[in-house]
Amino acid sequence: MTDTRGPQPPHETYGGEQAVQQGTQPYHPPQAYPSPPGGTQGGQHPGQQTAAGATVRRPRTGATTQPRTRKARLRVAKADPWSVMKVSFLLSIALGICTIVAAAVLWMVMDAMGVFSTVGGTISEATGSNESNGFDLQSFLSLPRVLLFTSVIAVIDVVLATALATLGAFIYNLSAGFVGGVELTLAEDE
């Protein structure tokens, strides 16, 4: 295939240099940083100085950019006892509700498997005599009685956990006054 356009004006490259005709030299793309005359000296690394004292900067090839993280060292100087009490109260109520639900589910599963009737029969035979039937485990461990017992334990747990967490906040504030508190290092991704 032949070029039928005729003579063309030379094209401009970066920096105002004239383009080299295709037949004489291979094409070299423009450099980000101009290279010193004579190339690098003695296997210099990027950023080293040349004999004239100028710093040669080479473009970084294959450089990976990692996200920088900002870090801050903070100190927990004081814990507000009122907010600690509110949060611990809500968390202990949630724990108490979970305890009651877990006890009910466990009782239903054990009743469906026949654990109470089997163990109750064994206990009534062992404790019974000719005049009485012995101890009745099924009536003693009925669902309402188990839920009542679990609810009492959950209420005691709510009161104790709230009181201990609030007392812990007061003790932390006293000790933080002496030693400065707990230091945390927080990092933020950019």
Side-chain angles (χ1 to χ4, degrees):
M1 181 154 195
T2 59
D3 188 9
T4 58
R5 294 179 292 172
Q8 298 291 323
H11 297 287
E12 299 266 334
T13 61
Y14 294 107
E17 299 172 353
Q18 293 288 332
V20 181
Q21 292 183 0
Q22 275 189 325
T24 58
Q25 291 182 353
Y27 171 74
H28 295 289
Q31 296 292 322
Y33 301 102
S35 60
T40 60
Q41 298 177 356
Q44 272 184 321
H45 296 292
Q48 289 185 343
Q49 293 188 351
T50 61
T55 303
V56 177
R57 295 193 57 183
R58 298 273 179 208
R60 293 175 18 180
T61 57
T64 59
T65 57
Q66 297 178 353
R68 293 184 299 164
T69 58
R70 292 190 316 178
K71 293 184 179 179
R73 291 187 68 182
L74 301 176
R75 186 170 46 98
V76 181
K78 183 183 178 196
D80 185 29
W82 177 249
S83 65
V84 169
M85 185 183 77
K86 290 188 293 187
V87 170
S88 65
F89 178 71
L90 288 177
L91 290 177
S92 59
I93 284 180
L95 182 65
I97 291 172
C98 290
T99 303
I100 293 171
V101 170
V105 169
L106 182 65
W107 188 91
M108 288 183 213
V109 168
M110 290 176 71
D111 187 45
M113 290 172 39
V115 172
F116 296 127
S117 61
T118 306
V119 175
T122 305
I123 290 177
S124 65
E125 285 178 10
T127 59
S129 62
N130 293 337
E131 300 164 359
S132 65
N133 291 337
F135 182 72
D136 189 14
L137 183 67
Q138 285 181 311
S139 65
F140 181 73
L141 290 181
S142 63
L143 181 61
R145 188 173 282 183
V146 168
L147 289 182
L148 179 67
F149 182 70
T150 307
S151 300
V152 168
I153 290 178
V155 168
I156 292 172
D157 178 48
V158 167
V159 172
L160 283 178
T162 304
L164 288 176
T166 308
L167 182 64
F170 279 115
I171 292 173
Y172 176 79
N173 289 339
L174 287 174
S175 64
F178 293 119
V179 296
V182 176
E183 289 189 4
L184 303 173
T185 301
L186 304 177
E188 176 188 14
D189 290 335
E190 288 184 355

